[in-house]
Amino acid sequence: MRRSIATVSLSGTLEEKLRAAAEAGFDGVEIFENDLIASPLRPRRIRALAASLGLGIDLYQPMRDIEGVDDDRFRRNLRRARDKFALMVELGADTVLVCSNATAAALDDDARAAAQLRLLAETASEYGVRVAYEALAWGTRVDDHEHAWRLVREADHPSLGVCLDSFHILSRDGDPSGIRDIPGEKIFFLQLADAPRMAMDVLQWSRHYRCFPGQGGFDLTAFTGHVLAAGYTGPLSLEVFNDVFRASDARRTAADALRSLSLLEDGLSRSAGEEPAAAEGEGARGAVRLRRLPEPVRPSGFAFVEVAAEPSSAERVRVLLGALGFAHTRDHRSKPVQLWSNGDVRVLLNSSDPRLGHTWSGAASVTALGVSVPDPANAMRRAERLLAPPLPRRRDPAESALSAVAAPDGTAVFFCADGPGDGEPWLEDFSAPPVDGYREGGGARLTGIDHVGLLQPFDHFDEASLFYRSLLGLRPDTSVEMAAPDGLVRSRALTDPASALRVALHVSVLGGEHADTGGGAQHVALGCDDVFAVARSLREAGVAPLAIPDNYYDDLACRTELRPDTRERMREGGILHDRSEEGEFLHFYTPTVDGRLFFEVVQRVGGYQGYGAANGTVRMAAQRAERSR
Amino acid sequence: MRRSIATVSLSGTLEEKLRAAAEAGFDGVEIFENDLIASPLRPRRIRALAASLGLGIDLYQPMRDIEGVDDDRFRRNLRRARDKFALMVELGADTVLVCSNATAAALDDDARAAAQLRLLAETASEYGVRVAYEALAWGTRVDDHEHAWRLVREADHPSLGVCLDSFHILSRDGDPSGIRDIPGEKIFFLQLADAPRMAMDVLQWSRHYRCFPGQGGFDLTAFTGHVLAAGYTGPLSLEVFNDVFRASDARRTAADALRSLSLLEDGLSRSAGEEPAAAEGEGARGAVRLRRLPEPVRPSGFAFVEVAAEPSSAERVRVLLGALGFAHTRDHRSKPVQLWSNGDVRVLLNSSDPRLGHTWSGAASVTALGVSVPDPANAMRRAERLLAPPLPRRRDPAESALSAVAAPDGTAVFFCADGPGDGEPWLEDFSAPPVDGYREGGGARLTGIDHVGLLQPFDHFDEASLFYRSLLGLRPDTSVEMAAPDGLVRSRALTDPASALRVALHVSVLGGEHADTGGGAQHVALGCDDVFAVARSLREAGVAPLAIPDNYYDDLACRTELRPDTRERMREGGILHDRSEEGEFLHFYTPTVDGRLFFEVVQRVGGYQGYGAANGTVRMAAQRAERSR
């Protein structure tokens, strides 16, 4: 299908918006009127520029408050419309969006509104323009698509159809399946936007919080399925008003936007059970052919997590790993990377080695995720189709071909072939075990990497969520907010259906200088079956856990039935507690390296699926106290 | 009255919060439970610290989801409450906030809820604790203060009263005057918060967007008047959940908070017509005495606006001023400051003069506002009582005593005595006119400084609004949003009742790296009676106005009845147009110096009171184009 994006979804000048849309691979754009008015380019220049970039101008929008008014006012409105139709001829745009009247001038008179829409369409047809009529959710008289369609049917003019906007329809919580009954040729345009579920004034919600399909709470696949079933064959076009996208790099936003449409089209193609099979790599639905992405990726867990640190910090990371029962078992054949293992749990430590010329500068950090997948080549093809930036790999002759892409925060995501134990191919880049001369790990037994916590850049939180969703099939949880001493942090966890791979993304609710709220922390959470035993090993290795205030344990005594001796052991180990209807969660934190990187040890009891967010405030306050010591 | 603030209103650790509250001059605090739990200080240490800072602990809060439940659950809740009462004894807090139950466990049984509240209060009394029961606006069964009061009256225990929270009451849009009928001694606590009027889920609104009295849309003076009329004598306490305050410097927030209570108390004192007069500088209301601020300030206009620029930029400012009909008429006696005049309209230009050792570095900027007031000494006393930071003045022997304070964005606000023409005392710091050797201004006649536009730091937008409101009696308009090419800008204008002094504050809707959205622009808008004549003078002086796209004028032709020759003259002059029901607005912009400072020339026709915000997008896009040339 043809893919379009409204210029209002992107930042910059009109020219910058067009270039960004073309670079991402869009086929067309909707020109937002204010972008044109504010542009020094005249309509013919805009047309020529778009053409030279390979972009069609699929829609001019919006025309407002035209219909359903008294005759005098309609005459003036029609004059105004003629001027805009003439402009559209210059611009080379053949469809105009007309929003339902949202002013007090709109009369409660459907016959009048339909007659005026007919006249408007008749006038438009003189210019070769089609009118796509859309119900705004806050329209005065016409506020749902069914009403808009009744007026269009009543007006009955070949140059008049409806424009369907997923936000206006899905924000009303109705059943959109009636769309199937609209003749496809009368659906002139389809605008897609997702949005987080919010209970707020629909106009504010619409103007500030829309996001790309797959980033919010609406089921855009089902919605678009209805529109295709009706026989719609026009573009899938994104119209997203979003405060962050308006202010972010337009090229990144455009890539994020196209990723969202690729995933949507793929999803439509795969869910089209009732349709006849199309060519390989394609699906079909109604009258359109749908591009299909390479097969979905089903991760089976973390092959490894890589952390990087400067020499003195790397030594502190080694102490923590040792105390957590990891042993340094292998060295990378060509890079200053050590492999630390606790059973099958593996952490790579990338540290500066001046002899080799590799130097990590900056605070200790999680720099790469190794994701185990059945077919790394397929995963990489899918990632590239989803515009994930591939990472160049310096290939030393001895190295295996390990493919990686960059996540929106810069973290490398490696696709590693599944394999039993030490048989995984990526391990061949490392020396055979054991490495001599390094201390062995302690006795603590870990069961896996439970999750990784990554602080995200403010501008790219929704992008990151869609990145992991589309590349790895992770599903986002609902967001939660935690109060750090220096501001609120929003967290959203993503996990695959089998809970084999969990990533928790964090972001300050404010941008800029507040981006480091919560200490800018990144962490690796390690799973275990006996958190008390691991805590004991840590202390025996001479490492004190993050200090949790006694006040926390007093409060725990108030609100839980934990036995006093259990609480006492928790206090000794700095162990925190959370509970859900499904089970319990026990967890503690190591000290933080460089004020940024720490480890967590977690034990899930029963079916607990969370991340201990209820303890986030206590954890971040304790880390703040740790920093100021 | 006693003044308190909830620790949740401030950023930092509990210790930092207490110190900030004490430093601002609060008498007490509400301790938010999560702040205590996350603190390494044990309750007795907190008590001692507060005492050493001169702070009482006026409230411990909140206790949740206690009442109206089945017997088993209530027994557990009471056990939990006992532990907290014991903690309060350690803490030295004698009042606890109990919020109405917001869980599904709350039964629809008022008699049960009242009986359980009575038992809770009886238990509390064993510890010397009083229970203040508050209706949350989202409580399951009890969601308004009248219902809460019915339960408290029914329970009838001396240790049980109500807590009134202005947000929970005013967010429901009801009439709060019934509060007068509650016996004052049964109002145990009063929590004050303002909020902007928003149509959104009340819980989200409450948790993120509260602000200090005078910063939002509620009438806190009337509300608090009802509570005092009832006979309440406890503290005025601020409980404000606000994303920005949580992340900002606690000491500044605390000063902002105290300023808001000072203004509230002053307003209460002055509106207490029915009460007997109290001592000078005080009012009385019900049983309490109210502190009064020095008399309100009634500005009569701008005495001057000062801009500063580096030498090469200062030369560009001089060119603009000359082209706008200003002449360089005087020099400061001891500083590198030139006085430029157009009739009685005065702009000071502060530029670097290495001989004198004064160097302005950075982009050209508005650095000071001279505000004409009848009594500068009174204005300064009032400003100091409102915790406005006084600016140290280097007093040269020959200089007049000009008092100034720093606005939240660092702009100096000078209080200048009203005076006829050149008789104003502050002019004595300048050489007598005319200065030789400088060009005279052109023929453009200006009528005054219409307004000044100032970009605000993201963290201090509400603070700035309250600053101008409390110091100068300016009233805030509703906020508007304008789309710049690099993000949304929020604008709020403030003006005195006579519209003699107008200040427009702008802020990026996103913080941090987006703070310069819209070019970080600052500007001085000059009033005139003939914008076409001023535009012509500008061009004749060889200065082109900010280039407005032809597309703008085409659109103007669509939507207005302006005559073609008028539109053509507007196009030549770069003149923009806006309209309200009251009148019309014609305005143009000069080029921008250093990408930051520009002048605007405005003509108000009829009763137009706005600022041409509808043209903000076009202006900011044109300035962006200007920067990239």
Side-chain angles (χ1 to χ4, degrees):
Chain A
M1 296 191 73
R2 189 172 173 82
R3 293 164 174 182
S4 294
I5 186 165
T7 55
V8 74
S9 314
L10 300 169
S11 71
T13 62
L14 182 56
E15 182 168 344
E16 289 163 352
K17 292 167 191 247
L18 295 179
R19 290 189 187 280
E23 195 174 306
F26 281 94
D27 304 303
V29 291
E30 307 176 21
I31 299 266
F32 183 60
E33 181 167 81
N34 283 354
D35 284 325
L36 179 134
I37 291 173
S39 173
L41 304 181
R42 301 293 273 158
R44 283 187 173 276
R45 283 282 304 284
I46 296 168
R47 174 189 200 155
L49 175 64
S52 75
L53 293 167
L55 291 172
I57 297 181
D58 292 339
L59 191 75
Y60 183 71
Q61 61 117 329
M63 210 174 270
R64 295 185 192 279
D65 308 326
I66 298 263
E67 88 293 5
V69 295
D70 65 47
D71 295 350
D72 249 20
R73 192 182 292 262
F74 184 68
R75 258 191 301 275
R76 290 199 302 275
N77 290 351
L78 205 57
R79 198 211 71 182
R80 166 160 69 100
R82 275 190 183 279
D83 287 350
K84 296 296 183 188
F85 295 150
L87 182 154
M88 288 175 63
V89 171
E90 302 280 301
L91 193 60
D94 69 355
T95 307
V96 64
L97 175 68
V98 171
C99 299
S100 62
N101 196 324
T103 68
L107 306 170
D108 185 13
D109 183 345
D110 275 5
R112 169 183 295 265
Q116 293 180 345
L117 285 171
R118 184 180 169 87
L119 258 169
L120 181 73
E122 179 61 30
T123 308
S125 70
E126 297 169 23
Y127 297 83
V129 165
R130 307 189 313 162
V131 171
Y133 182 59
E134 173 186 87
L136 295 179
W138 53 89
T140 308
R141 304 292 175 186
V142 178
D143 62 4
D144 73 51
H145 69 282
E146 290 169 353
H147 194 172
W149 163 233
R150 284 200 304 276
L151 295 186
V152 165
R153 195 175 46 192
E154 170 82 17
D156 190 25
H157 192 284
S159 292
L160 181 68
V162 292
C163 172
L164 299 177
D165 179 310
S166 64
F167 180 88
H168 290 299
I169 295 169
L170 298 175
S171 64
R172 300 177 60 95
D173 265 339
D175 172 11
S177 63
I179 290 170
R180 290 171 173 258
D181 301 329
I182 304 177
E185 72 278 8
K186 294 302 273 183
I187 303 175
F188 279 9
F189 210 76
L190 173 62
Q191 291 180 314
L192 296 173
D194 201 346
R197 295 266 173 201
M198 297 172 91
M200 72 186 297
D201 173 62
V202 68
L203 187 124
Q204 292 300 316
W205 188 20
S206 172
R207 293 270 169 89
H208 297 276
Y209 298 100
R210 290 183 178 211
C211 54
F212 296 124
Q215 295 179 338
F218 295 153
D219 185 349
L220 271 300
T221 310
F223 174 82
T224 310
H226 296 314
V227 181
L228 298 189
Y232 175 74
T233 57
L236 299 177
S237 188
L238 297 165
E239 189 200 28
V240 169
F241 305 87
N242 180 294
D243 289 357
V244 176
F245 298 160
R246 277 179 188 277
S248 306
D249 179 67
R251 287 180 303 182
R252 277 187 73 159
T253 306
D256 186 26
L258 199 84
R259 183 176 301 143
S260 116
L261 282 188
S262 296
L263 187 67
L264 177 67
E265 210 174 320
D266 183 63
L268 284 164
S269 142
R270 291 174 193 278
S271 65
E274 75 268 33
E275 309 290 343
E280 198 179 350
E282 269 194 357
R285 191 103 175 216
V288 297
R289 298 191 341 165
L290 296 160
R291 272 162 293 198
R292 192 170 276 194
L293 293 169
E295 288 303 298
V297 174
R298 299 188 207 289
S300 60
F302 287 101
F304 63 83
V305 171
E306 180 178 294
V307 301
E310 293 181 350
S312 63
S313 303
E315 186 49 40
R316 297 186 54 212
V317 174
R318 282 186 201 101
V319 169
L320 296 181
L321 288 172
L324 289 167
F326 284 86
H328 174 196
T329 50
R330 300 190 184 209
D331 282 323
H332 196 275
R333 295 187 189 277
S334 60
K335 294 181 185 151
V337 175
Q338 299 177 341
L339 172 60
W340 287 69
S341 309
N342 179 322
D344 286 345
V345 187
R346 304 197 190 88
V347 173
L348 304 186
L349 176 58
N350 189 336
S351 68
S352 169
D353 185 336
R355 286 167 307 171
L356 294 170
H358 301 281
T359 305
W360 170 258
S361 64
S365 199
V366 173
T367 48
L369 309 179
V371 178
S372 295
V373 298
D375 182 352
N378 170 69
M380 193 65 192
R381 279 195 304 276
R382 185 174 167 97
E384 285 174 352
R385 280 282 302 282
L386 288 163
L387 303 185
L391 284 175
R393 293 281 296 164
R394 264 179 307 172
R395 283 286 301 281
D396 298 308
E399 273 179 66
S400 67
L402 205 52
S403 309
V405 293
D409 66 351
T411 303
V413 176
F414 285 85
F415 300 112
C416 306
D418 284 345
D422 281 5
E424 300 169 38
W426 66 273
L427 281 167
E428 292 167 14
D429 294 345
F430 289 80
S431 63
V435 172
D436 288 332
Y438 289 92
R439 64 180 154 269
E440 284 291 311
R445 277 185 47 83
L446 302 173
T447 53
I449 291 173
D450 184 86
H451 65 277
V452 174
L454 298 170
L455 185 88
Q456 298 297 297
F458 180 76
D459 282 9
H460 303 295
F461 190 65
D462 284 331
E463 180 188 347
S465 171
L466 182 62
F467 175 91
Y468 290 108
R469 180 178 203 159
S470 59
L471 267 74
L472 298 175
L474 306 192
R475 297 178 187 167
D477 244 347
T478 52
S479 292
V480 295
E481 277 164 9
M482 306 183 291
D486 44 1
L488 291 180
V489 176
R490 183 170 297 134
S491 289
R492 186 186 293 160
L494 298 103
T495 184
D496 65 298
S499 297
L501 193 80
R502 293 185 179 97
V503 178
L505 306 178
H506 310 293
V507 71
S508 161
V509 302
L510 305 178
E513 70 267 39
H514 303 297
D516 262 4
T517 297
Q522 289 197 315
H523 84 286
V524 183
L526 304 159
C528 73
D529 290 330
D530 184 351
V531 72
F532 293 99
V534 182
R536 200 166 48 239
S537 296
L538 190 84
R539 287 200 309 284
E540 286 168 4
V543 174
L546 178 70
I548 302 302
D550 284 346
N551 294 344
Y552 174 81
Y553 295 98
D554 288 356
D555 182 60
L556 206 58
C558 279
R559 62 184 170 82
T560 66
E561 311 287 332
L562 291 168
R563 286 174 18 188
D565 63 320
T566 305
R567 288 203 315 269
E568 188 49 38
R569 285 163 67 213
M570 292 174 67
R571 186 195 306 260
E572 284 168 16
I575 295 167
L576 300 149
H577 176 266
D578 190 25
R579 177 161 49 190
S580 70
E581 288 187 8
E582 292 76 28
E584 288 182 280
F585 191 58
L586 294 159
H587 58 138
F588 73 86
Y589 301 96
T590 69
T592 306
V593 178
D594 295 345
R596 183 168 174 89
L597 177 72
F598 62 95
F599 295 91
E600 179 183 7
V601 176
V602 315
Q603 180 182 353
R604 294 176 184 274
V605 181
Y608 182 93
Q609 293 298 328
Y611 299 79
N615 297 319
T617 293
V618 168
R619 188 255 301 166
M620 291 187 288
Q623 288 172 332
R624 159 79 174 263
E626 183 187 34
R627 285 200 298 281
S628 59
R629 264 198 298 273
Chain B
M1 295 191 75
R2 190 174 173 82
R3 294 163 174 183
S4 294
I5 187 166
T7 54
V8 74
S9 314
L10 300 169
S11 71
T13 63
L14 182 55
E15 182 168 344
E16 289 163 352
K17 291 166 191 245
L18 295 178
R19 290 189 188 281
E23 194 174 307
F26 281 95
D27 305 302
V29 291
E30 307 175 21
I31 300 268
F32 183 60
E33 182 167 81
N34 282 355
D35 284 326
L36 180 135
I37 291 173
S39 173
L41 303 182
R42 301 293 274 158
R44 283 186 171 275
R45 282 282 302 285
I46 296 168
R47 173 188 201 155
L49 174 63
S52 74
L53 293 168
L55 292 173
I57 297 180
D58 293 338
L59 191 75
Y60 184 72
Q61 61 117 328
M63 210 174 270
R64 296 185 191 277
D65 308 326
I66 298 264
E67 87 292 5
V69 294
D70 66 46
D71 296 349
D72 249 19
R73 192 180 291 261
F74 184 68
R75 258 191 301 276
R76 290 199 303 274
N77 290 352
L78 204 57
R79 197 211 73 183
R80 166 161 70 99
R82 274 189 183 279
D83 288 350
K84 296 296 183 188
F85 295 149
L87 181 154
M88 288 175 63
V89 171
E90 302 279 303
L91 193 60
D94 70 355
T95 306
V96 64
L97 175 69
V98 171
C99 298
S100 62
N101 197 322
T103 67
L107 306 170
D108 184 14
D109 183 345
D110 276 4
R112 169 184 294 266
Q116 292 179 344
L117 284 172
R118 183 181 170 87
L119 257 170
L120 182 72
E122 179 60 30
T123 308
S125 70
E126 296 169 24
Y127 296 82
V129 165
R130 307 189 313 164
V131 171
Y133 182 60
E134 173 185 87
L136 295 179
W138 54 88
T140 309
R141 304 292 175 186
V142 178
D143 61 5
D144 72 51
H145 69 283
E146 290 169 354
H147 194 171
W149 164 233
R150 285 200 304 277
L151 294 187
V152 165
R153 195 174 47 191
E154 169 82 17
D156 190 25
H157 191 284
S159 292
L160 181 68
V162 292
C163 171
L164 299 178
D165 179 309
S166 63
F167 180 87
H168 290 298
I169 296 168
L170 298 176
S171 63
R172 299 176 62 94
D173 265 337
D175 172 10
S177 63
I179 290 171
R180 291 171 173 258
D181 301 329
I182 304 177
E185 72 277 8
K186 295 302 275 184
I187 303 176
F188 279 11
F189 210 76
L190 173 62
Q191 290 180 314
L192 296 174
D194 201 346
R197 295 268 172 200
M198 298 173 90
M200 72 187 297
D201 173 61
V202 68
L203 188 130
Q204 292 300 316
W205 187 19
S206 173
R207 293 269 170 88
H208 296 277
Y209 297 100
R210 290 184 178 209
C211 54
F212 296 125
Q215 295 179 340
F218 295 154
D219 185 348
L220 271 300
T221 310
F223 174 82
T224 310
H226 296 315
V227 181
L228 298 189
Y232 175 73
T233 58
L236 299 177
S237 189
L238 297 165
E239 189 202 27
V240 169
F241 305 87
N242 179 293
D243 289 357
V244 176
F245 298 159
R246 278 179 187 278
S248 306
D249 179 66
R251 286 181 302 182
R252 276 187 73 159
T253 307
D256 187 26
L258 199 84
R259 182 177 301 142
S260 115
L261 282 188
S262 296
L263 186 67
L264 177 67
E265 210 175 320
D266 183 63
L268 284 164
S269 144
R270 290 175 194 276
S271 65
E274 75 270 30
E275 307 290 342
E280 200 180 349
E282 269 194 357
R285 190 104 175 215
V288 297
R289 299 195 337 169
L290 296 161
R291 270 163 293 197
R292 192 169 276 193
L293 293 169
E295 289 303 299
V297 174
R298 299 188 207 290
S300 59
F302 287 101
F304 63 83
V305 171
E306 180 179 293
V307 302
E310 293 180 351
S312 63
S313 304
E315 186 49 39
R316 296 186 54 211
V317 174
R318 281 186 202 100
V319 169
L320 296 181
L321 288 172
L324 289 166
F326 284 86
H328 173 196
T329 51
R330 301 190 184 209
D331 281 324
H332 195 277
R333 296 185 187 278
S334 60
K335 294 179 185 152
V337 176
Q338 298 178 341
L339 173 61
W340 287 69
S341 309
N342 178 322
D344 286 346
V345 188
R346 303 196 190 89
V347 172
L348 304 186
L349 175 58
N350 189 337
S351 68
S352 169
D353 184 336
R355 287 166 305 170
L356 293 170
H358 300 281
T359 306
W360 171 258
S361 63
S365 199
V366 173
T367 49
L369 309 179
V371 178
S372 294
V373 298
D375 182 353
N378 170 70
M380 192 65 192
R381 280 195 304 275
R382 185 174 168 98
E384 285 175 349
R385 279 283 299 284
L386 287 164
L387 303 185
L391 285 174
R393 293 281 295 164
R394 263 179 307 170
R395 281 288 299 282
D396 298 307
E399 273 180 66
S400 67
L402 204 53
S403 309
V405 294
D409 65 352
T411 303
V413 175
F414 285 85
F415 300 111
C416 305
D418 284 344
D422 281 5
E424 298 168 39
W426 66 272
L427 281 167
E428 292 166 15
D429 294 346
F430 288 80
S431 64
V435 172
D436 290 332
Y438 289 91
R439 64 179 153 267
E440 283 293 310
R445 275 185 48 81
L446 303 174
T447 53
I449 291 172
D450 184 85
H451 65 276
V452 173
L454 298 169
L455 185 88
Q456 300 295 298
F458 180 76
D459 282 9
H460 303 293
F461 190 65
D462 285 331
E463 181 188 347
S465 171
L466 182 62
F467 175 91
Y468 290 107
R469 179 179 202 159
S470 60
L471 266 73
L472 298 175
L474 305 192
R475 296 176 189 168
D477 245 347
T478 51
S479 293
V480 295
E481 277 163 11
M482 306 183 292
D486 45 1
L488 291 180
V489 176
R490 182 170 297 133
S491 289
R492 185 187 293 160
L494 297 105
T495 183
D496 65 298
S499 297
L501 193 80
R502 294 186 179 95
V503 178
L505 305 178
H506 310 294
V507 71
S508 161
V509 303
L510 304 178
E513 71 267 38
H514 303 298
D516 263 4
T517 298
Q522 289 197 315
H523 83 287
V524 183
L526 304 160
C528 73
D529 290 329
D530 184 350
V531 72
F532 294 99
V534 182
R536 199 165 48 238
S537 296
L538 190 85
R539 288 200 308 284
E540 285 168 4
V543 175
L546 178 69
I548 302 301
D550 284 346
N551 294 343
Y552 174 82
Y553 295 99
D554 289 356
D555 183 60
L556 206 58
C558 279
R559 60 183 171 83
T560 66
E561 311 287 332
L562 290 168
R563 287 174 19 190
D565 63 321
T566 305
R567 288 204 315 270
E568 188 49 38
R569 287 162 65 213
M570 292 175 66
R571 186 195 306 260
E572 284 167 17
I575 295 168
L576 301 150
H577 177 267
D578 192 25
R579 178 160 50 187
S580 69
E581 289 187 7
E582 292 75 28
E584 288 183 280
F585 191 59
L586 294 160
H587 58 138
F588 72 86
Y589 301 96
T590 70
T592 305
V593 178
D594 295 347
R596 181 167 174 89
L597 177 73
F598 61 95
F599 295 90
E600 179 182 7
V601 176
V602 315
Q603 180 182 353
R604 294 176 184 273
V605 181
Y608 182 92
Q609 293 298 328
Y611 299 80
N615 297 319
T617 293
V618 168
R619 189 252 304 164
M620 292 186 289
Q623 288 172 332
R624 160 79 174 263
E626 183 188 33
R627 285 200 297 282
S628 59
R629 264 199 297 273

